[in-house]
CSV table of all heavy atoms in Angstrom, one decimal:
chain,number,residue,atom,x,y,z
A,1289,MET,N,104.8,133.0,5.7
A,1289,MET,CA,106.0,133.8,5.7
A,1289,MET,C,106.1,134.6,4.4
A,1289,MET,O,106.5,135.8,4.5
A,1289,MET,CB,107.2,132.8,6.0
A,1289,MET,CG,107.0,132.1,7.3
A,1289,MET,SD,107.6,133.1,8.6
A,1289,MET,CE,108.9,131.9,9.3
A,1290,LEU,N,106.1,133.9,3.3
A,1290,LEU,CA,106.3,134.6,2.0
A,1290,LEU,C,105.2,135.7,1.9
A,1290,LEU,O,105.5,136.9,1.3
A,1290,LEU,CB,106.3,133.7,0.8
A,1290,LEU,CG,106.6,134.4,-0.5
A,1290,LEU,CD1,108.0,135.0,-0.5
A,1290,LEU,CD2,106.6,133.3,-1.6
A,1291,ALA,N,104.0,135.3,2.2
A,1291,ALA,CA,102.9,136.4,2.1
A,1291,ALA,C,103.1,137.5,3.0
A,1291,ALA,O,102.9,138.8,2.6
A,1291,ALA,CB,101.6,135.7,2.5
A,1292,GLY,N,103.8,137.4,4.2
A,1292,GLY,CA,104.1,138.6,5.0
A,1292,GLY,C,105.2,139.4,4.3
A,1292,GLY,O,105.1,140.6,4.4
A,1293,GLU,N,106.2,138.8,3.6
A,1293,GLU,CA,107.2,139.6,3.0
A,1293,GLU,C,106.6,140.4,1.8
A,1293,GLU,O,107.0,141.5,1.6
A,1293,GLU,CB,108.3,138.7,2.5
A,1293,GLU,CG,109.1,138.0,3.5
A,1293,GLU,CD,109.7,139.0,4.6
A,1293,GLU,OE1,110.2,140.0,4.1
A,1293,GLU,OE2,109.6,138.8,5.7
A,1294,PHE,N,105.7,139.7,1.0
A,1294,PHE,CA,104.9,140.5,0.0
A,1294,PHE,C,104.1,141.7,0.6
A,1294,PHE,O,104.1,142.8,0.1
A,1294,PHE,CB,104.0,139.5,-0.8
A,1294,PHE,CG,104.6,138.8,-1.9
A,1294,PHE,CD1,104.8,137.5,-1.9
A,1294,PHE,CD2,105.0,139.6,-3.1
A,1294,PHE,CE1,105.4,136.9,-3.0
A,1294,PHE,CE2,105.6,138.9,-4.2
A,1294,PHE,CZ,105.8,137.6,-4.1
A,1295,ALA,N,103.5,141.4,1.7
A,1295,ALA,CA,102.7,142.5,2.4
A,1295,ALA,C,103.6,143.6,2.9
A,1295,ALA,O,103.2,144.8,2.7
A,1295,ALA,CB,101.9,141.8,3.6
A,1296,ARG,N,104.7,143.4,3.4
A,1296,ARG,CA,105.6,144.4,3.8
A,1296,ARG,C,106.1,145.1,2.6
A,1296,ARG,O,106.2,146.4,2.7
A,1296,ARG,CB,106.8,143.9,4.6
A,1296,ARG,CG,106.5,143.5,5.9
A,1296,ARG,CD,107.7,143.2,6.9
A,1296,ARG,NE,107.9,141.9,7.3
A,1296,ARG,CZ,107.2,141.0,7.7
A,1296,ARG,NH1,105.9,141.2,7.8
A,1296,ARG,NH2,107.6,139.7,8.0
A,1297,PHE,N,106.5,144.5,1.5
A,1297,PHE,CA,106.9,145.2,0.3
A,1297,PHE,C,105.8,146.1,-0.2
A,1297,PHE,O,106.1,147.1,-0.8
A,1297,PHE,CB,107.3,144.1,-0.8
A,1297,PHE,CG,107.7,144.6,-2.0
A,1297,PHE,CD1,109.0,145.2,-2.2
A,1297,PHE,CD2,106.8,144.6,-3.1
A,1297,PHE,CE1,109.3,145.8,-3.4
A,1297,PHE,CE2,107.3,145.1,-4.4
A,1297,PHE,CZ,108.5,145.7,-4.5
A,1298,LEU,N,104.6,145.6,-0.2
A,1298,LEU,CA,103.5,146.4,-0.7
A,1298,LEU,C,102.9,147.5,0.2
A,1298,LEU,O,102.1,148.3,-0.3
A,1298,LEU,CB,102.3,145.4,-1.2
A,1298,LEU,CG,102.6,144.5,-2.2
A,1298,LEU,CD1,101.5,143.5,-2.3
A,1298,LEU,CD2,102.8,145.1,-3.5
A,1299,GLY,N,103.4,147.5,1.3
A,1299,GLY,CA,103.0,148.5,2.4
A,1299,GLY,C,101.8,148.2,3.1
A,1299,GLY,O,101.0,149.1,3.5
A,1300,ILE,N,101.3,146.9,3.1
A,1300,ILE,CA,100.1,146.6,3.7
A,1300,ILE,C,100.3,146.5,5.3
A,1300,ILE,O,101.2,145.7,5.7
A,1300,ILE,CB,99.5,145.1,3.2
A,1300,ILE,CG1,99.3,145.3,1.6
A,1300,ILE,CG2,98.3,144.7,4.0
A,1300,ILE,CD1,98.9,144.0,1.0
A,1301,PRO,N,99.5,147.2,6.1
A,1301,PRO,CA,99.7,147.2,7.5
A,1301,PRO,C,99.4,145.8,8.0
A,1301,PRO,O,98.2,145.3,7.6
A,1301,PRO,CB,98.8,148.3,8.0
A,1301,PRO,CG,97.8,148.6,7.0
A,1301,PRO,CD,98.4,148.1,5.6
A,1302,LEU,N,100.2,145.2,8.8
A,1302,LEU,CA,100.0,143.9,9.4
A,1302,LEU,C,99.6,144.0,10.9
A,1302,LEU,O,100.3,144.7,11.7
A,1302,LEU,CB,101.2,143.0,9.2
A,1302,LEU,CG,101.5,142.6,7.8
A,1302,LEU,CD1,102.7,141.8,7.7
A,1302,LEU,CD2,100.4,142.0,7.0
A,1303,GLU,N,98.6,143.3,11.3
A,1303,GLU,CA,98.2,143.2,12.7
A,1303,GLU,C,98.8,141.9,13.3
A,1303,GLU,O,99.0,141.0,12.5
A,1303,GLU,CB,96.7,143.2,12.8
A,1303,GLU,CG,96.1,144.4,12.3
A,1303,GLU,CD,94.5,144.4,12.5
A,1303,GLU,OE1,94.0,143.6,13.2
A,1303,GLU,OE2,93.9,145.2,11.8
A,1304,HIS,N,99.1,142.0,14.5
A,1304,HIS,CA,99.8,140.8,15.2
A,1304,HIS,C,99.0,139.6,15.3
A,1304,HIS,O,99.4,138.5,15.2
A,1304,HIS,CB,100.2,141.1,16.6
A,1304,HIS,CG,101.2,142.2,16.8
A,1304,HIS,ND1,102.6,142.0,16.4
A,1304,HIS,CD2,101.2,143.5,17.1
A,1304,HIS,CE1,103.2,143.0,16.5
A,1304,HIS,NE2,102.4,143.9,16.9
A,1305,ARG,N,97.6,139.8,15.2
A,1305,ARG,CA,96.8,138.6,15.2
A,1305,ARG,C,96.4,138.1,13.8
A,1305,ARG,O,95.7,137.0,13.7
A,1305,ARG,CB,95.4,139.1,15.9
A,1305,ARG,CG,95.6,139.5,17.3
A,1305,ARG,CD,94.3,139.8,18.0
A,1305,ARG,NE,94.5,140.7,19.1
A,1305,ARG,CZ,93.6,141.2,19.7
A,1305,ARG,NH1,92.3,141.1,19.4
A,1305,ARG,NH2,93.8,141.9,20.8
A,1306,MET,N,96.9,138.6,12.7
A,1306,MET,CA,96.6,138.1,11.4
A,1306,MET,C,97.2,136.7,11.1
A,1306,MET,O,98.4,136.6,11.3
A,1306,MET,CB,97.0,139.1,10.4
A,1306,MET,CG,96.3,140.4,10.4
A,1306,MET,SD,96.9,141.6,9.1
A,1306,MET,CE,96.1,140.9,7.6
A,1307,SER,N,96.4,135.8,10.7
A,1307,SER,CA,96.9,134.5,10.2
A,1307,SER,C,97.6,134.6,8.9
A,1307,SER,O,97.4,135.6,8.1
A,1307,SER,CB,95.8,133.5,10.2
A,1307,SER,OG,94.9,133.8,9.1
A,1308,GLN,N,98.3,133.6,8.5
A,1308,GLN,CA,98.9,133.6,7.2
A,1308,GLN,C,97.9,133.7,6.1
A,1308,GLN,O,98.1,134.2,5.0
A,1308,GLN,CB,99.8,132.3,7.0
A,1308,GLN,CG,101.1,132.3,7.8
A,1308,GLN,CD,102.0,133.5,7.3
A,1308,GLN,OE1,102.3,133.6,6.2
A,1308,GLN,NE2,102.5,134.3,8.4
A,1309,VAL,N,96.8,133.1,6.3
A,1309,VAL,CA,95.7,133.0,5.2
A,1309,VAL,C,95.1,134.4,5.1
A,1309,VAL,O,94.9,134.9,4.0
A,1309,VAL,CB,94.5,132.0,5.7
A,1309,VAL,CG1,93.3,132.2,4.8
A,1309,VAL,CG2,95.1,130.7,5.6
A,1310,GLN,N,94.9,135.2,6.2
A,1310,GLN,CA,94.5,136.6,6.1
A,1310,GLN,C,95.4,137.4,5.5
A,1310,GLN,O,95.1,138.4,4.7
A,1310,GLN,CB,94.1,137.1,7.5
A,1310,GLN,CG,93.0,136.4,8.2
A,1310,GLN,CD,92.9,136.8,9.6
A,1310,GLN,OE1,93.9,136.8,10.3
A,1310,GLN,NE2,91.6,137.1,10.0
A,1311,ILE,N,96.7,137.3,5.7
A,1311,ILE,CA,97.8,138.1,5.0
A,1311,ILE,C,97.7,137.8,3.6
A,1311,ILE,O,97.9,138.7,2.7
A,1311,ILE,CB,99.1,137.8,5.6
A,1311,ILE,CG1,99.1,138.3,7.2
A,1311,ILE,CG2,100.3,138.5,4.9
A,1311,ILE,CD1,100.3,137.8,7.9
A,1312,ALA,N,97.7,136.5,3.2
A,1312,ALA,CA,97.8,136.1,1.8
A,1312,ALA,C,96.5,136.7,1.1
A,1312,ALA,O,96.6,137.2,-0.1
A,1312,ALA,CB,97.7,134.5,1.7
A,1313,ASN,N,95.4,136.6,1.7
A,1313,ASN,CA,94.2,137.2,1.1
A,1313,ASN,C,94.3,138.8,0.9
A,1313,ASN,O,93.9,139.3,-0.2
A,1313,ASN,CB,92.9,136.9,2.0
A,1313,ASN,CG,92.5,135.5,1.9
A,1313,ASN,OD1,92.8,134.8,0.9
A,1313,ASN,ND2,91.8,135.0,2.9
A,1314,ALA,N,94.9,139.4,1.9
A,1314,ALA,CA,95.1,140.9,1.8
A,1314,ALA,C,96.1,141.2,0.6
A,1314,ALA,O,95.8,142.1,-0.2
A,1314,ALA,CB,95.6,141.5,3.0
A,1315,VAL,N,97.1,140.4,0.5
A,1315,VAL,CA,98.1,140.6,-0.6
A,1315,VAL,C,97.4,140.3,-2.0
A,1315,VAL,O,97.5,141.1,-2.9
A,1315,VAL,CB,99.3,139.6,-0.4
A,1315,VAL,CG1,100.2,139.6,-1.7
A,1315,VAL,CG2,100.2,140.1,0.7
A,1316,CYS,N,96.8,139.2,-2.1
A,1316,CYS,CA,96.1,138.9,-3.4
A,1316,CYS,C,95.0,139.9,-3.7
A,1316,CYS,O,94.8,140.3,-4.9
A,1316,CYS,CB,95.5,137.5,-3.3
A,1316,CYS,SG,96.7,136.1,-3.2
A,1317,ASP,N,94.3,140.4,-2.7
A,1317,ASP,CA,93.3,141.5,-2.9
A,1317,ASP,C,93.8,142.6,-3.6
A,1317,ASP,O,93.4,143.1,-4.5
A,1317,ASP,CB,92.5,141.6,-1.7
A,1317,ASP,CG,91.4,142.7,-1.8
A,1317,ASP,OD1,90.6,142.5,-2.8
A,1317,ASP,OD2,91.3,143.6,-1.1
A,1318,LEU,N,94.9,143.1,-2.9
A,1318,LEU,CA,95.6,144.4,-3.5
A,1318,LEU,C,96.2,144.2,-4.8
A,1318,LEU,O,96.0,144.9,-5.7
A,1318,LEU,CB,96.7,144.8,-2.4
A,1318,LEU,CG,97.5,146.1,-2.9
A,1318,LEU,CD1,96.5,147.2,-3.0
A,1318,LEU,CD2,98.6,146.4,-1.9
A,1319,LEU,N,96.9,143.1,-5.1
A,1319,LEU,CA,97.5,142.7,-6.3
A,1319,LEU,C,96.4,142.6,-7.4
A,1319,LEU,O,96.7,143.1,-8.5
A,1319,LEU,CB,98.3,141.5,-6.3
A,1319,LEU,CG,99.6,141.6,-5.4
A,1319,LEU,CD1,100.3,140.2,-5.4
A,1319,LEU,CD2,100.5,142.6,-6.0
A,1320,GLY,N,95.3,142.1,-7.0
A,1320,GLY,CA,94.2,142.0,-8.0
A,1320,GLY,C,93.6,143.3,-8.4
A,1320,GLY,O,93.3,143.6,-9.5
A,1321,LYS,N,93.5,144.2,-7.4
A,1321,LYS,CA,92.9,145.6,-7.6
A,1321,LYS,C,93.9,146.3,-8.4
A,1321,LYS,O,93.5,147.1,-9.2
A,1321,LYS,CB,92.7,146.2,-6.3
A,1321,LYS,CG,91.6,145.7,-5.4
A,1321,LYS,CD,91.3,146.5,-4.1
A,1321,LYS,CE,90.2,145.9,-3.4
A,1321,LYS,NZ,90.0,146.6,-2.0
A,1322,LEU,N,95.2,146.1,-8.3
A,1322,LEU,CA,96.3,146.8,-9.1
A,1322,LEU,C,96.4,146.2,-10.5
A,1322,LEU,O,97.1,146.8,-11.3
A,1322,LEU,CB,97.6,146.8,-8.4
A,1322,LEU,CG,97.6,147.5,-7.0
A,1322,LEU,CD1,99.0,147.2,-6.4
A,1322,LEU,CD2,97.4,148.9,-7.2
A,1323,GLY,N,95.8,145.0,-10.7
A,1323,GLY,CA,96.0,144.4,-12.0
A,1323,GLY,C,97.3,143.8,-12.2
A,1323,GLY,O,97.7,143.7,-13.4
A,1324,THR,N,97.9,143.3,-11.1
A,1324,THR,CA,99.3,142.8,-11.2
A,1324,THR,C,99.2,141.3,-11.5
A,1324,THR,O,98.4,140.5,-10.9
A,1324,THR,CB,99.9,143.0,-9.8
A,1324,THR,OG1,99.9,144.4,-9.6
A,1324,THR,CG2,101.3,142.6,-9.9
A,1325,THR,N,100.1,140.8,-12.3
A,1325,THR,CA,100.3,139.4,-12.4
A,1325,THR,C,101.7,139.1,-12.0
A,1325,THR,O,102.7,139.8,-12.0
A,1325,THR,CB,100.2,138.9,-13.9
A,1325,THR,OG1,101.2,139.7,-14.7
A,1325,THR,CG2,98.8,139.2,-14.5
A,1326,ILE,N,101.9,137.9,-11.4
A,1326,ILE,CA,103.1,137.3,-10.9
A,1326,ILE,C,103.5,136.2,-11.8
A,1326,ILE,O,102.8,135.3,-12.0
A,1326,ILE,CB,103.0,136.9,-9.5
A,1326,ILE,CG1,102.7,138.1,-8.6
A,1326,ILE,CG2,104.3,136.2,-9.0
A,1326,ILE,CD1,102.4,137.6,-7.1
A,1327,LEU,N,104.7,136.3,-12.3
A,1327,LEU,CA,105.4,135.2,-13.1
A,1327,LEU,C,106.4,134.6,-12.4
A,1327,LEU,O,107.3,135.2,-11.8
A,1327,LEU,CB,105.9,135.8,-14.4
A,1327,LEU,CG,104.9,136.6,-15.3
A,1327,LEU,CD1,105.7,137.2,-16.5
A,1327,LEU,CD2,103.8,135.7,-15.8
A,1328,ALA,N,106.3,133.3,-12.3
A,1328,ALA,CA,107.2,132.4,-11.7
A,1328,ALA,C,108.1,131.7,-12.7
A,1328,ALA,O,107.5,131.0,-13.5
A,1328,ALA,CB,106.6,131.5,-10.8
A,1329,PRO,N,109.4,131.9,-12.8
A,1329,PRO,CA,110.2,131.2,-13.8
A,1329,PRO,C,110.2,129.7,-13.6
A,1329,PRO,O,110.2,129.2,-12.5
A,1329,PRO,CB,111.6,131.8,-13.6
A,1329,PRO,CG,111.6,132.3,-12.2
A,1329,PRO,CD,110.2,132.7,-11.9
A,1330,GLU,N,110.2,128.9,-14.6
A,1330,GLU,CA,110.3,127.5,-14.5
A,1330,GLU,C,111.7,127.2,-14.2
A,1330,GLU,O,112.7,127.7,-14.7
A,1330,GLU,CB,109.8,126.8,-15.8
A,1330,GLU,CG,108.4,127.0,-16.2
A,1330,GLU,CD,107.9,126.2,-17.4
A,1330,GLU,OE1,108.5,125.1,-17.5
A,1330,GLU,OE2,107.0,126.6,-18.0
A,1331,GLN,N,111.9,126.1,-13.5
A,1331,GLN,CA,113.2,125.6,-13.2
A,1331,GLN,C,113.5,124.3,-14.0
A,1331,GLN,O,112.5,123.6,-14.3
A,1331,GLN,CB,113.3,125.1,-11.7
A,1331,GLN,CG,113.2,126.3,-10.8
A,1331,GLN,CD,113.5,125.9,-9.4
A,1331,GLN,OE1,113.5,124.7,-9.1
A,1331,GLN,NE2,113.7,126.8,-8.5
A,1332,GLU,N,114.8,124.3,-14.5
A,1332,GLU,CA,115.1,123.2,-15.3
A,1332,GLU,C,115.4,121.9,-14.4
A,1332,GLU,O,115.8,122.2,-13.2
A,1332,GLU,CB,116.3,123.4,-16.1
A,1332,GLU,CG,116.1,124.5,-17.3
A,1332,GLU,CD,117.4,124.7,-18.2
A,1332,GLU,OE1,118.2,123.7,-18.2
A,1332,GLU,OE2,117.5,125.8,-18.6
A,1333,PRO,N,115.2,120.8,-14.8
A,1333,PRO,CA,115.5,119.6,-14.0
A,1333,PRO,C,117.1,119.6,-13.7
A,1333,PRO,O,117.8,120.1,-14.5
A,1333,PRO,CB,115.1,118.4,-14.8
A,1333,PRO,CG,114.3,118.9,-15.9
A,1333,PRO,CD,114.5,120.3,-16.1
A,1334,ALA,N,117.4,119.2,-12.5
A,1334,ALA,CA,118.7,119.1,-12.1
A,1334,ALA,C,119.7,118.4,-13.1
A,1334,ALA,O,120.9,118.8,-13.3
A,1334,ALA,CB,118.9,118.6,-10.7
A,1335,SER,N,119.2,117.3,-13.7
A,1335,SER,CA,120.1,116.6,-14.6
A,1335,SER,C,120.5,117.4,-15.9
A,1335,SER,O,121.4,117.2,-16.4
A,1335,SER,CB,119.3,115.3,-15.1
A,1335,SER,OG,118.2,115.7,-15.7
A,1336,SER,N,119.7,118.4,-16.3
A,1336,SER,CA,120.0,119.2,-17.4
A,1336,SER,C,120.6,120.6,-17.2
A,1336,SER,O,120.9,121.2,-18.0
A,1336,SER,CB,118.8,119.4,-18.4
A,1336,SER,OG,117.7,120.1,-17.7
A,1337,ALA,N,120.6,120.9,-15.8
A,1337,ALA,CA,121.2,122.1,-15.4
A,1337,ALA,C,122.6,122.3,-15.7
A,1337,ALA,O,123.1,123.3,-16.0
A,1337,ALA,CB,120.9,122.4,-14.0
A,1338,LEU,N,123.4,121.2,-15.6
A,1338,LEU,CA,124.8,121.2,-15.8
A,1338,LEU,C,125.3,120.2,-16.6
A,1338,LEU,O,125.0,119.0,-16.4
A,1338,LEU,CB,125.5,121.2,-14.4
A,1338,LEU,CG,127.0,121.2,-14.4
A,1338,LEU,CD1,127.6,122.4,-14.9
A,1338,LEU,CD2,127.6,120.9,-12.9
A,1339,THR,N,126.0,120.5,-17.7
A,1339,THR,CA,126.4,119.4,-18.6
A,1339,THR,C,127.9,119.5,-18.7
A,1339,THR,O,128.6,120.5,-19.1
A,1339,THR,CB,125.8,119.6,-20.0
A,1339,THR,OG1,124.5,119.7,-19.9
A,1339,THR,CG2,126.3,118.5,-20.9
A,1340,LEU,N,128.6,118.5,-18.3
A,1340,LEU,CA,130.1,118.4,-18.5
A,1340,LEU,C,130.5,117.5,-19.6
A,1340,LEU,O,129.9,116.5,-19.7
A,1340,LEU,CB,130.7,117.9,-17.2
A,1340,LEU,CG,130.4,118.6,-15.9
A,1340,LEU,CD1,131.0,118.0,-14.7
A,1340,LEU,CD2,131.1,120.0,-16.0
A,1341,GLU,N,131.5,118.0,-20.3
A,1341,GLU,CA,131.9,117.1,-21.6
A,1341,GLU,C,133.3,116.8,-21.4
A,1341,GLU,O,134.1,117.5,-20.9
A,1341,GLU,CB,131.5,117.8,-22.9
A,1341,GLU,CG,130.1,118.1,-23.0
A,1341,GLU,CD,129.9,118.7,-24.4
A,1341,GLU,OE1,130.7,118.6,-25.3
A,1341,GLU,OE2,128.8,119.4,-24.5
């Protein structure tokens, strides 16, 4: 599902018969050709996210 959203954002044409693996491969191939990196922010543990005093 997420791969499909990236594909639409990048303008990659999707065929109805494409599997999630094929879509993810198309997205990764294009991002690799463009020299793009994806950074995912780290999440803090829930216990340290909110501190009440």
Side-chain angles (χ1 to χ4, degrees):
M1289 299 275 233
L1290 184 59
E1293 296 303 319
F1294 273 113
R1296 283 192 252 317
F1297 177 76
L1298 295 169
I1300 298 172
L1302 299 177
E1303 299 177 20
H1304 293 290
R1305 298 182 197 173
M1306 291 179 78
S1307 69
Q1308 289 295 310
V1309 172
Q1310 291 171 316
I1311 295 170
N1313 286 340
V1315 168
C1316 290
D1317 183 50
L1318 179 59
L1319 291 175
K1321 287 178 182 175
L1322 295 173
T1324 305
T1325 55
I1326 297 176
L1327 299 176
E1330 293 186 32
Q1331 292 183 347
E1332 293 185 25
S1335 61
S1336 66
L1338 178 62
T1339 307
L1340 297 176
E1341 293 184 27

